[in-house]
């Protein structure tokens, strides 16, 4: 029997203490300081899963360098629409962080982000033509006006010496470079958010407490069935609104909620590994995030990249990710996560998506079987002079890709984006998927607020606050160049970014 009965009711329950719950908590706190908010985290501290610095790549995804956001079309042209959307979404995150730093509710930006140029790097004729076409489209727009393109080995070596040192002179290469990039420590940012929330009052955080199940009360509120992992103590709590910000743990809880909107959703976990170099002489020679093109058959988020990282003021280099397959939905999860998520209402969709993506499964198995020599070979494509002894292998976070019904073809499909799934009455919402991920947490959580807090979100009070914290709220930075310049100058000034 549960050790306590659910007598009091809280306004908002945040399940999971990663960047998304933290961001939602902060936004709601800005909109209405009276809301009672409680967060539940199954691990002993916040931000230990995907949001932890070394569990993700820390790229402030602005579509400066990620080639999968500008797919090539069959006729050889490039589709830039996703790049514009992601760039604008990242500017929204930057505006919110700028607001919080200016108001003293976030510490110095150096504690969670560092300016870092973003580069794309390709080899071979076809990819050169793609990169040139991409550059032509992007650099013509004010979002990417500082982007440079070069096929000159000396120029590229000036931007990133390690990727050119030891490379055959005859190899055709090209790169783009943009100064206004960033490396973000999302773990540090999440911890700072929770510190501010704890200081704000009307907020509590329970760590070591797992939400095991959910049920709906007759009054429409949600009952959270919790389990303290250390003692086994169980509790029931009532909440008017529940956010399932549990990362890979969100899908099982969404299915447990039995809301009709959840039917047919499944998940496909992709694990990852990095090679990490902390050798000061090597680290000092690289200052960029250099993204290449995904290998044939590889999922878009496993594009290899050689990254400068700044974590706790210490610089290192990271290369990867080497994708892999595990049935766990969380790094600290269980091998039963995937089989346990199969339900009568998603079985067909999952089987169909699996059959349609056999190539991906084969690719992931191939990645799992890689030897250290294979991994070094992949690294040397980006850094020909790399030596095995300077690099160590580290395990990255788990990403659970969304499987859902394919409305066009029937059956199921695998998606690589993020999606908020919510109940029709807006009383519960879950964030599924992992890309672009942490960088776009602010616009994702604003969208969730608009969807789930409908009338209140439209009220003059909340609208005024939203405009105060996100100056471009409700407007288009893509269309309004003057607004873009204003917003960006302010973010640069407060967050220390370079134009
Ligand atoms: C390899 C890799 C590279 C990435 N690179 C980038 C990048 O460069 N840039 C970027 O912006 N994004 C990147 N991402 C994505 C980004 O890391 C994630 O989108 C983001 O961190 C997810 O945050 P979250 O709050 O949703 O989940 P998480 O950070 O995973 O937090 C979820 C929390 O919920 C807890 N939890 C789970 N189940 C329960 C339960 N039942 N009860 C209570 N608590 C529970 C977990 O313990 C965890 O602490 C990357 C991800 C990976 C894996």
């Amino acid at each position: 029997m549960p050790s306590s009965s659910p007598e009091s009711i809280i306004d908002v329950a945040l399940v999971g203490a990663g960047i998304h719950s933290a961001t939602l908590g902060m936004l709601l706190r800005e909109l209405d300081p009276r809301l009672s908010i409680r967060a539940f985290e199954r691990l002993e501290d916040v931000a230990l899963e995907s949001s932890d610095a070394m569990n993700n790549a820390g790229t402030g995804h602005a579509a400066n360098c990620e080639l999968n956001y500008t797919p090539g079309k069959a006729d050889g042209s490039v589709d830039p629409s996703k790049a514009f959307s992601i760039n604008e979404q990242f500017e929204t995150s930057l505006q919110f962080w700028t607001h919080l730093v200016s108001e003293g509710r976030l510490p110095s930006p150096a504690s969670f982000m560092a300016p870092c140029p973003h580069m794309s790097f390709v080899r071979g004729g076809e990819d050169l033509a793609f990169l040139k076409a991409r550059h032509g489209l992007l650099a013509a727009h004010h979002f990417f006006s500082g982007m440079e393109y070069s096929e000159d080995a000396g120029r590229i070596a000036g931007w990133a010496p390690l990727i050119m040192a030891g490379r055959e002179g005859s190899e055709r290469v090209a790169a783009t470079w943009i100064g206004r990039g960033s490396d973000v420590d999302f773990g540090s940012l999440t911890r700072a958010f929770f510190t501010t929330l704890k200081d704000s009052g009307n907020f509590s955080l329970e760590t070591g407490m797992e939400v095991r199940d959910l049920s709906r009360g007759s009054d429409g509120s949600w009952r959270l069935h919790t389990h303290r992992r250390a003692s086994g103590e169980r509790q029931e709590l009532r909440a008017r609104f529940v956010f399932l910000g549990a990362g890979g743990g969100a899908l099982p809880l969404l299915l447990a909620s039995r809301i009709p909107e959840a039917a047919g959703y499944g998940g496909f976990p992709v694990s990852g590994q990095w090679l990490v170099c902390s050798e000061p002489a090597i680290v000092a020679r690289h200052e960029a995030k250099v993204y290449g093109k995904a290998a044939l058959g590889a999922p878009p988020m496993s594009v290899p990249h050689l990254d400068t990282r700044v974590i706790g003021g210490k610089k290192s280099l990271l290369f990867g990710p080497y994708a892999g397959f595990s049935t766990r939905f969380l790094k600290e999860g269980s091998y039963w996560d995937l089989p346990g998520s199969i339900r009568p209402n998603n079985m067909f969709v999952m089987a169909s998506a699996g059959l349609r993506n056999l190539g991906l499964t084969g690719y992931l198995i191939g990645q799992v079987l890689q030897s250290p020599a294979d991994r070094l070979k992949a690294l040397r494509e980006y850094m020909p002079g790399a030596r095995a002894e300077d690099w160590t292998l580290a395990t990255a976070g788990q990403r659970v890709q969304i499987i859902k019904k394919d409305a066009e073809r029937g059956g199921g499909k695998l998606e690589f984006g993020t999606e908020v799934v919510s109940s029709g009455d807006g009383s519960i919402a879950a964030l599924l998927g992992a890309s672009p991920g942490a960088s776009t947490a602010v616009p994702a959580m604003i969208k969730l607020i608009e969807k789930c807090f409908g009338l209140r979100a439209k009220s003059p009070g909340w609208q005024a606050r939203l405009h105060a914290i996100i100056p471009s709220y409700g407007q288009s930075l893509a269309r309004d160049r003057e607004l873009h310049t204003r917003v960006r100058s302010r973010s640069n000034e407060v967050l220390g970014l370079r134009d």
Side-chain angles (χ1 to χ4, degrees):
M1 289 292 288
S3 64
S4 68
S5 62
E7 272 143 22
S8 59
I9 184 161
I10 45 176
D11 292 318
V12 176
L14 303 172
V15 182
I19 188 73
H20 283 104
S21 286
T23 302
L24 181 61
M26 287 296 283
L27 281 165
L28 288 172
R29 188 46 86 237
E30 290 286 318
L31 294 173
D32 185 352
R34 292 162 310 171
L35 284 175
S36 55
I37 307 178
R38 210 158 158 187
F40 304 93
E41 168 54 51
R42 69 189 285 272
L43 299 180
E44 290 306 321
D45 203 351
V46 307
L48 293 179
E49 283 282 346
S50 289
S51 301
D52 176 56
M54 281 311 284
N55 285 343
N56 63 71
T59 304
H61 284 308
N64 292 324
C65 55
E66 308 85 342
L67 301 180
N68 54 311
Y69 296 150
T70 46
K73 294 200 270 190
D75 63 1
S77 62
V78 171
D79 178 1
S81 49
K82 194 167 183 187
F84 289 123
S85 160
I86 288 176
N87 189 282
E88 179 139 12
Q89 289 182 56
F90 187 57
E91 289 297 338
T92 302
S93 291
L94 292 179
Q95 287 176 69
F96 186 47
W97 304 343
T98 297
H99 164 78
L100 293 171
V101 171
S102 316
E103 297 286 314
R105 288 197 276 284
L106 266 184
S108 154
S111 66
F112 64 89
M113 75 189 296
C116 179
H118 283 187
M119 289 177 66
S120 306
F121 175 72
V122 294
R123 300 174 305 147
E126 213 177 293
D127 287 347
L128 261 62
F130 163 78
L131 192 65
K132 197 168 185 178
R134 177 186 191 269
H135 173 257
L137 282 171
L138 296 189
H141 192 272
H142 53 270
F143 279 3
F144 302 98
S145 55
M147 186 184 278
E148 294 181 43
Y149 172 86
S150 183
E151 294 176 18
D152 179 77
R155 180 99 181 102
I156 300 172
W159 292 332
L162 293 181
I163 64 172
M164 293 309 289
R167 197 171 287 281
E168 293 279 333
S170 57
E171 194 177 10
R172 288 196 65 202
V173 295
T176 56
W177 181 95
I178 193 161
R180 194 178 184 262
S182 55
D183 176 66
V184 185
D185 178 344
F186 291 108
S188 176
L189 184 59
T190 304
R191 285 189 290 277
F193 279 164
F194 277 112
T195 302
T196 303
L197 280 169
K198 279 190 256 179
D199 291 345
S200 72
N202 239 348
F203 174 88
S204 67
L205 166 71
E206 304 269 1
T207 54
M209 197 182 251
E210 183 168 303
V211 176
R212 286 268 173 98
D213 203 359
L214 295 150
S215 58
R216 198 88 200 251
S218 52
D219 60 350
S221 68
W222 286 94
R223 282 174 160 67
L224 272 65
H225 305 258
T226 66
H227 172 92
R228 192 166 285 288
R229 293 177 83 208
S231 63
E233 178 201 354
R234 288 189 286 153
Q235 272 185 24
E236 268 184 37
L237 299 131
R238 283 169 64 212
R240 292 190 177 87
F241 171 78
V242 179
F243 173 56
L244 303 175
L251 175 69
L253 290 171
L254 178 67
L255 296 172
S257 75
R258 292 182 187 82
I259 59 170
E261 292 79 2
Y265 276 90
F268 182 81
V270 177
S271 57
Q273 289 178 317
W274 311 115
L275 281 176
V276 182
C277 173
S278 307
E279 204 43 53
I282 301 171
V283 172
R285 292 181 63 206
H286 188 78
E287 203 203 333
K289 285 179 175 280
V290 185
Y291 275 61
K293 257 197 131 179
L296 213 60
M301 76 289 168
S302 64
V303 171
H305 41 99
L306 181 62
D307 281 7
T308 293
R309 298 300 314 271
V310 184
I311 299 167
K314 193 170 176 288
K315 259 178 92 173
S316 62
L317 288 189
L318 176 150
F319 179 76
Y322 299 94
F325 179 72
S326 151
T327 53
R328 291 178 196 208
F329 281 175
L330 292 161
K331 195 168 168 180
E332 300 294 328
S334 147
Y335 289 112
W336 288 104
D337 287 342
L338 177 62
S341 72
I342 300 172
R343 306 286 152 90
N345 70 26
N346 67 11
M347 195 182 285
F348 172 66
V349 170
M350 286 180 73
S352 149
L355 286 171
R356 284 176 183 164
N357 289 281
L358 287 177
L360 170 63
T361 314
Y363 168 83
L364 293 176
I365 291 169
Q367 288 271 302
V368 172
L369 297 176
Q370 279 194 111
S371 66
D374 294 329
R375 281 193 285 267
L376 184 64
K377 191 165 161 238
L379 168 62
R380 282 188 175 155
E381 288 181 18
Y382 286 79
M383 185 181 157
R387 299 180 315 169
E389 56 270 34
D390 296 325
W391 297 79
T392 50
L393 196 62
T395 305
Q398 284 290 101
R399 288 195 245 217
V400 179
Q401 309 299 335
I402 302 168
I403 292 179
K404 63 191 281 194
K405 289 176 191 155
D406 187 334
E408 280 167 26
R409 294 194 295 163
K413 63 177 178 180
L414 186 62
E415 292 217 323
F416 293 101
T418 44
E419 185 173 335
V420 170
V421 180
S422 60
S423 59
D425 66 355
S427 63
I428 188 165
L431 183 102
L432 302 181
S435 180
S439 302
T440 51
V442 177
M445 293 301 102
I446 290 178
K447 226 163 132 184
L448 181 148
I449 289 171
E450 289 168 342
K451 219 170 158 185
C452 298
F453 293 76
L455 285 179
R456 262 186 289 178
K458 285 196 191 98
S459 68
W462 281 36
Q463 282 290 308
R465 282 302 293 154
L466 281 165
H467 281 102
I469 61 184
I470 315 282
S472 74
Y473 178 71
Q475 299 164 82
S476 163
L477 290 176
R479 283 198 293 274
D480 191 337
R481 191 180 185 137
E482 192 272 325
L483 175 66
H484 176 256
T485 307
R486 209 163 3 106
V487 156
R488 203 160 140 155
S489 310
R490 177 78 183 137
S491 300
N492 289 353
E493 183 195 330
V494 174
L495 300 176
L497 294 172
R498 299 183 203 125
D499 234 337

